[in-house]
Amino acid sequence: MPKPKILVARAIFPEVIARLEKHFEVDSNQADKLLGKPELIARLQGKVGVFTTGSERIDADVLAACPDLKICANMAVGYNNFDVAAMSAAGVLATNAPDVLTETTADFGFALLMATARRVTESEHYLRAGQWTKWSFDMFAGSDIHGSTLGIIGMGRIGQGIAKRGAHGFGMNVIYHNRSKLDASLEAACKARYVGKEELLRTADHVVLVVPYSAASHHTIGAAELALMKPTANLINIARGGIVDDAALAVALRERRIAAAGLDVFEGEPKVHPDLLTVPNVVLTPHIASATVPTRLAMANLASDNLIGYLEQNKPVTPLNAAELAAKNLAK
Ligand code: DGY
């Protein structure tokens, strides 16, 4: 009996490829060449499953051109690279990789917050450039983290992890805004208080964005929202590019309308708005919030569990549209 064929669309851990090869005939892109839509469609011919990362867009065109496809397993918790409605209509299962990256990503949110508030990268560049000749009272004076007000927009699992770190580790006053208020026990565990978005922006010393990207969350922070923030406040985006209007942010940073920003994600990444590269008061990292070896391995294994579970036993671990497929009796 020939094994079912799958595509692994980007380079991943060799041991994960070896694991998948026990179950499938694997076409793997270990050369890690980014596949444009025509190449992706060509490589997907005859494949029943695809292991994707956030960089492969699965839309109606791809689905129409790849009729054998049954499952797309994303090695990411975010899945804005999937048109889930089109996948449901085509009878294709979508899965993501939640939970396994929560604490690692919350750690990084805090790392970026601290680097931004305490001007870590800006001062390192100064030192490396040989500009440090003497101590001075206000050299790279930043803002405090302990005892300050932390405002979190998007209070899912990662937002809650950041709230706990802030409240319990640094004695921060934590406020949050979310589509829905958390239940009282979760609010108590996070020591967090629900507020409106405007109040959060006006009062937080550090605003952290952890909201998923969708048409509704596009430019959650634009010029109007930046204008509400305190001139001493910092903005941290570990969510997705497009949540912040990067051009408006660059203007606010240059004009010191807010103190600083820490950005792990960018509109149109891996391109970065050129104005963000020239302002000093921003910490820039290349979408690495979940990047520790154990967590990236766990994410890759969860994507693999979904492929194996669904294609062998019709039992995906973390499906996104199983109910839609079942309701329409559409699963292939
Ligand atoms: C995710 O899992 O969504 C992270 O952004 C890594 O891509």
Side-chain angles (χ1 to χ4, degrees):
M1 182 81 171
K3 290 177 184 167
K5 294 182 183 171
I6 66 162
L7 171 69
V8 178
R10 295 290 308 278
I12 55 162
F13 300 92
E15 60 263 47
V16 174
I17 298 285
R19 179 181 172 213
L20 288 167
E21 280 174 341
K22 292 190 182 134
H23 302 264
F24 307 114
E25 187 181 319
V26 180
D27 173 10
S28 67
N29 180 15
Q30 288 299 80
D32 211 27
K33 181 176 177 297
L34 283 178
L35 303 177
K37 190 182 274 193
E39 292 161 302
L40 182 63
I41 289 173
R43 294 279 287 261
L44 279 174
Q45 295 310 301
K47 310 286 170 31
V48 292
V50 59
F51 180 122
T52 52
T53 66
S55 47
E56 295 72 48
R57 173 103 187 117
I58 305 290
D59 60 14
D61 295 341
V62 173
L63 296 163
C66 305
D68 298 317
L69 201 57
K70 296 181 181 174
I71 172 174
C72 302
N74 223 25
M75 182 191 150
V77 64
Y79 51 91
N80 52 309
N81 56 318
F82 285 176
D83 181 339
V84 179
M87 291 169 78
S88 298
V92 173
L93 188 78
T95 66
N96 69 338
D99 301 324
V100 290
L101 78 180
T102 299
E103 299 303 330
T104 295
T105 305
D107 282 349
F108 187 82
F110 232 88
L112 198 50
L113 190 164
M114 295 183 78
T116 303
R118 297 304 308 273
R119 305 177 65 178
V120 171
T121 56
E122 191 186 354
S123 60
E124 185 185 349
H125 288 145
Y126 174 89
L127 182 152
R128 284 180 187 270
Q131 292 174 280
W132 185 29
T133 55
K134 62 181 187 314
W135 181 92
S136 57
F137 76 99
D138 62 349
M139 187 169 70
F140 295 107
S143 36
D144 270 326
I145 294 153
H146 71 275
S148 64
T149 295
L150 170 61
I152 301 172
I153 299 185
M155 199 61 157
R157 290 162 286 215
I158 297 168
Q160 290 169 36
I162 292 170
K164 286 177 189 157
R165 283 161 177 76
H168 300 292
F170 289 84
M172 295 171 95
N173 165 38
V174 181
I175 54 179
Y176 75 97
H177 184 70
N178 197 42
R179 268 176 309 186
S180 51
K181 196 171 172 308
L182 298 186
D183 70 37
S185 63
L186 277 180
E187 281 192 344
C190 296
K191 289 178 83 175
R193 183 170 61 85
Y194 181 86
V195 294
K197 182 177 162 189
E198 189 172 325
E199 181 182 341
L200 184 145
L201 292 169
R202 284 188 192 284
T203 55
D205 297 305
H206 311 281
V207 175
V208 180
L209 304 170
V210 210
V211 69
Y213 183 80
S214 68
S217 64
H218 182 73
H219 287 185
T220 294
I221 301 293
E225 291 74 20
L226 290 162
L228 293 175
M229 290 173 65
K230 299 200 263 192
T232 50
N234 300 302
L235 177 72
I236 309 300
N237 185 9
I238 56 163
R240 274 290 181 274
I243 301 287
V244 175
D245 177 343
D246 285 350
L249 175 61
V251 172
L253 290 168
R254 189 181 304 285
E255 296 179 358
R256 303 273 169 178
R257 287 197 238 133
I258 67 169
L263 307 174
D264 187 48
V265 286
F266 304 88
E267 283 190 288
E269 66 184 48
K271 291 202 178 106
V272 175
H273 193 291
D275 294 351
L276 288 173
L277 297 171
T278 59
V279 285
N281 48 341
V282 60
V283 179
L284 307 168
T285 53
H287 202 148
I288 57 167
S290 64
T292 65
V293 174
T295 291
R296 285 284 167 86
L297 190 55
M299 292 164 74
N301 271 319
L302 181 50
S304 305
D305 292 343
N306 276 309
L307 287 162
I308 297 164
Y310 189 57
L311 292 171
E312 291 191 345
Q313 296 172 1
N314 197 22
K315 283 190 185 148
V317 187
T318 49
L320 294 163
N321 60 345
E324 286 80 352
L325 295 194
K328 295 181 193 159
N329 205 13
L330 264 174
K332 284 182 177 173

